Amino acid sequence: MAFSPTVTNAVLAQGLVKHFKDVKALDGLDLRVPQGTVLAVLGPNGAGKTTAVRILTTLLQPDSGHAEVAGVDVVADPATARSKIGVSGQYAAVDEYLTGFENLDMIGRLYHLGRKRSQQRARELLAQFSLDDAGDRMAKTYSGGMRRRLDLAGALVADPPVMFLDEPTTGLDPRSRTDMWATIQRLVAGGTSLLLTTQYLEEADLLADNIIVVDHGKVIAEGTADELKAQVGGERLEITVSEGSDLPRAAQLLAPLGSADLTVREERRSLLVPVTGGAAVLAAALRRLDDADIAVGDVGMRRPTLDDVFLSLTGHAAEEPPGDGETPKDDKQEVAAR
Amino acid sequence: MTVSNTLSDGLVVAKRNMIKIKRVPDILVFTTMSPIMFVLLFAYEFGGAIDQEGGGAGYREFLIAGIFAQTVVFGATFTGYGLAQDIEKGIIDRFRSLPMSPSAVLAGRTFSDVLYNVVTLVVMALTGLLVGWRIRTSVGEALLGFLLLLVFAYALSWVMAWVGMLVPSPEVVNNASFMVIFPLTFVANTFVPLETLPGPLKAFAEWNPVSAVTQAARELFGNIPAGAPAPETTSWALQHPALYTLLWAAAVLAIFVPVANAQYRRSISR
């Protein structure tokens, strides 16, 4: 079995099904995290992401299907599976009445690292996550971002080969989110295999090697961020008209140029037109607006974002995207600036 | 998982629970405040009515063992509450995803609650001494009395641990358990002599384990006045209160240790 092909998969799930009473949370979910890579499981609230993570981390039993981490069957041998994984939850599962140090030390002891090694590891991780100053304070006094970092540090105590992060940045302010991303990027640069769930498209784009899009408990699309964007096809022409110009008229003029329906965003006075013709279409669009005396404030071509992907795959937008629903191309800086 | 893993993991969990009690002293303050309030209310409000010739002194001596029993019974809800709170906060998920002994979480929880009960019993004993309660036997017998109360409490902790994992939120633990705990502690010889109870209640009280542990504690503390008639009961339980308490605790542990551990291993889905 040591040379079985499954060993190269850090995580493998095949046909996972899970019901909660009448609700089908997972409906034959398949996923695979090749060793040393990052998989983002992307989907709206209630898509089944957390259920999948709970099954893979031995917290929940599937109704049917097969799941393994580091080649260990999580249903047949949960104890061994637990020694291979580090888990950081959707809400920070830190003990708020313990100090940061005590939290990490306790986890080390429960991984059976021994007293000395646990304490040493706790101090190392506190320093690594910029929590050394706060290490001897109760976690109750920590900010949301600090708690998440402590929780993530908890998942790393035993240097597990496979990591699960369930919505690591949900509920964080933009600044803490950017910090968290940097932390996760450093982590995976070290070769850790990671499965990450998120409802933030830009997060998947930024952190993951592969992405699966989950809706209603099954995978509806998979690939790299680029492959997914290619599935939607074409580019997006984005034009903002100046204050006082006729937006509906502009939409009327540009509609014939689009390869699909355009989107009007009243509040930012902008139009989003899916196009396939490149620069020629851009020039044509500007000419039409100019002829109609509509002043253009800003114009640009961009490749589709994962937001566009999600919309075209599911017919509905991903819930609670950061900001106002638009995913800027340069995610990190835009988010930090907001 | 070896037994030594369960023990060492259990101690890690117990230590964590004790740190929490130290950091949140309100828990201890409020759980000891209510029994202290009961001592004062009962001793001075009812004491005179029940024990007219003694001016309440005899009643106070009678009362304290009942208050001890009540304190540890109420303290058991703390086990369920703490566990339900840990589930709600995701701490149990963290524990369950670690390669630790699965039995250690409950073992640690119930063990730290014994230590917690020791602290509350010390506070209650001091309160008792203040209102005139005395140990009239030997130190050894008194310690046996306290030990019996702790064993009794330990068994109840396992019941409440099981309850704590079944309920949807920590608040429900208190509400649900009070419906059982109030009749259990009041329909007993804790605060009034059994003879005063009407027929069906008396029958229940005679076999109520709270009556037995109270009776056993009274005997071990020597709080039954010399020459007082033995409790007029045909109940085997009250004639052998210490033995009955131990048998009852053993039965409860035999049932609820496996049941609670099985519940812990089953997925606790939110």
Side-chain angles (χ1 to χ4, degrees):
Chain A
M1 280 305 284
F3 296 101
S4 132
T6 58
V7 175
T8 59
N9 286 324
V11 183
L12 179 70
Q14 289 168 328
L16 290 183
V17 174
K18 180 70 188 177
H19 289 85
F20 293 111
K21 295 200 177 104
D22 294 337
V23 183
K24 204 167 205 176
L26 291 181
D27 187 11
L29 185 89
D30 300 313
L31 63 80
R32 202 168 77 84
V33 183
Q35 218 154 59
T37 67
V38 180
L39 175 75
V41 179
L42 177 65
N45 271 336
K49 305 184 300 285
T50 297
T51 306
V53 169
R54 289 175 66 81
I55 289 173
L56 290 166
T57 55
T58 78
L59 297 179
L60 205 59
Q61 296 233 339
D63 296 340
S64 65
H66 173 77
E68 55 186 62
V69 291
V72 180
D73 187 320
V74 299
V75 177
D77 192 1
T80 309
R82 285 178 199 134
S83 67
K84 309 279 186 197
I85 59 174
V87 187
S88 177
Q90 186 168 152
Y91 45 87
V94 301
D95 194 326
E96 52 184 2
Y97 294 107
L98 299 190
T99 65
F101 175 79
E102 285 166 343
N103 264 292
L104 297 178
D105 176 47
M106 175 179 78
I107 293 169
R109 298 295 295 275
L110 294 175
Y111 268 112
H112 307 125
L113 298 185
R115 174 196 296 266
K116 223 178 140 186
R117 180 80 192 107
S118 296
Q119 292 184 352
Q120 188 190 348
R121 187 73 184 130
R123 290 290 172 210
E124 272 169 36
L125 285 165
L126 287 172
Q128 189 184 331
F129 286 84
S130 320
L131 290 168
D132 25 6
D133 290 342
D136 294 320
R137 271 187 5 227
M138 265 197 268
K140 201 178 157 63
T141 65
Y142 287 15
S143 69
M146 290 164 78
R147 282 187 198 212
R148 286 301 171 96
R149 294 211 298 280
L150 181 60
D151 192 52
L152 181 57
L156 292 172
V157 165
D159 256 327
V162 186
M163 293 272 302
F164 291 87
L165 302 183
D166 191 13
E167 304 203 3
T169 66
T170 299
L172 289 187
D173 62 76
R175 170 77 196 278
S176 311
R177 175 174 300 150
T178 326
D179 287 350
M180 195 70 179
W181 284 342
T183 307
I184 294 170
Q185 281 175 318
R186 271 201 305 278
L187 180 70
V188 295
T192 305
S193 309
L194 169 66
L195 185 151
L196 148 108
T197 73
T198 181
Q199 38 182 317
Y200 301 129
L201 309 163
E202 59 202 302
E203 187 163 292
D205 198 352
L206 186 73
L207 299 175
D209 300 307
N210 292 296
I211 298 170
I212 59 173
V213 184
V214 176
D215 201 27
H216 300 299
K218 57 183 160 202
V219 177
I220 56 170
E222 62 182 304
T224 63
D226 284 342
E227 282 165 1
L228 287 176
K229 287 173 190 170
Q231 275 191 24
V232 184
E235 294 159 301
R236 296 292 182 277
L237 169 63
E238 194 169 10
I239 289 184
T240 310
V241 299
S242 305
E243 204 66 45
S245 302
D246 188 350
L247 186 65
R249 173 87 186 117
Q252 222 171 20
L253 287 167
L254 298 186
L257 298 177
S259 58
D261 288 346
L262 55 71
T263 314
V264 181
R265 289 197 184 87
E266 301 264 6
E267 71 289 351
R268 7 169 102 190
R269 310 195 48 74
S270 80
L271 299 166
L272 198 61
V273 195
V275 295
T276 49
V281 185
L282 175 62
L286 290 176
R287 216 161 30 240
R288 281 180 177 225
L289 293 176
D290 193 36
D291 290 348
D293 277 333
I294 296 173
V296 173
D298 193 16
V299 63
M301 293 285 275
R302 61 169 177 78
R303 302 187 57 206
T305 64
L306 284 168
D307 249 336
D308 303 318
V309 175
F310 205 87
L311 192 63
S312 79
L313 284 170
T314 64
H316 57 87
E319 282 164 78
E320 297 176 27
D324 55 10
E326 167 66 338
T327 308
K329 193 175 171 120
D330 194 350
D331 328 63
K332 255 181 98 171
Q333 280 158 21
E334 280 285 333
V335 167
R338 263 202 283 271
Chain B
M1 284 298 157
T2 62
V3 174
S4 78
N5 264 350
T6 304
L7 284 181
S8 65
D9 291 351
L11 284 177
V12 172
V13 174
K15 183 181 159 203
R16 171 249 165 189
N17 296 338
M18 294 312 287
I19 291 176
K20 181 171 174 185
I21 291 170
K22 196 175 77 186
R23 301 263 159 84
V24 199
D26 324 21
I27 304 174
L28 197 62
V29 171
F30 283 111
T31 37
T32 50
M33 285 269 277
S34 69
I36 289 175
M37 186 192 73
F38 271 111
V39 169
L40 300 177
L41 273 180
F42 281 46
Y44 296 104
E45 170 92 21
F46 301 148
I50 293 174
D51 170 31
Q52 279 165 343
E53 62 265 41
Y59 178 69
R60 288 200 289 279
E61 183 142 336
F62 169 87
L63 173 69
I64 296 301
I67 293 281
F68 285 160
Q70 185 208 26
T71 306
V72 297
V73 172
F74 276 60
T77 58
F78 185 62
T79 304
Y81 184 81
L83 206 52
Q85 208 175 37
D86 286 349
I87 291 171
E88 191 181 64
K89 300 221 160 165
I91 311 269
I92 297 293
D93 273 356
R94 170 74 97 189
F95 284 149
R96 290 176 75 238
S97 70
L98 293 174
M100 60 186 285
S101 159
S103 322
V105 172
L106 298 185
R109 175 96 245 165
T110 48
F111 177 65
S112 60
D113 289 341
V114 172
L115 301 180
Y116 177 75
N117 270 325
V118 170
V119 178
T120 51
L121 279 178
V122 168
V123 175
M124 293 319 301
L126 293 174
T127 312
L129 289 171
L130 279 179
V131 300
W133 169 74
R134 293 292 178 269
I135 293 169
R136 303 196 186 278
T137 50
S138 62
V139 175
E141 278 168 294
L143 285 179
L144 275 181
F146 283 116
L147 194 63
L148 201 63
L149 283 160
L150 290 172
V151 168
F152 180 75
Y154 184 69
L156 279 181
S157 274
W158 279 95
V159 179
M160 292 310 301
W162 177 69
V163 171
M165 286 183 290
L166 290 180
V167 295
S169 82
E171 287 68 33
V172 181
V173 176
N174 285 341
N175 298 336
S177 53
F178 276 15
M179 293 193 316
V180 178
I181 279 178
F182 261 95
L184 211 56
T185 52
F186 279 78
V187 186
N189 60 358
T190 39
F191 310 121
V192 290
L194 271 186
E195 294 73 23
T196 62
L197 295 176
L201 286 187
K202 185 176 177 216
F204 175 84
E206 280 176 335
W207 288 92
N208 182 346
V210 178
S211 295
V213 73
T214 306
Q215 177 68 21
R218 273 185 195 133
E219 288 176 6
L220 286 164
F221 297 141
N223 294 149
I224 293 170
E232 273 185 43
T233 171
T234 50
S235 148
W236 181 87
L238 289 186
Q239 283 161 358
H240 308 87
L243 180 60
Y244 179 69
T245 303
L246 288 174
L247 286 176
W248 190 87
V252 166
L253 287 171
I255 296 167
F256 281 92
V257 172
V259 165
N261 272 308
Q263 183 63 32
Y264 178 83
R265 281 191 184 88
R266 280 180 46 195
S267 303
I268 306 168
S269 40
R270 289 188 294 260

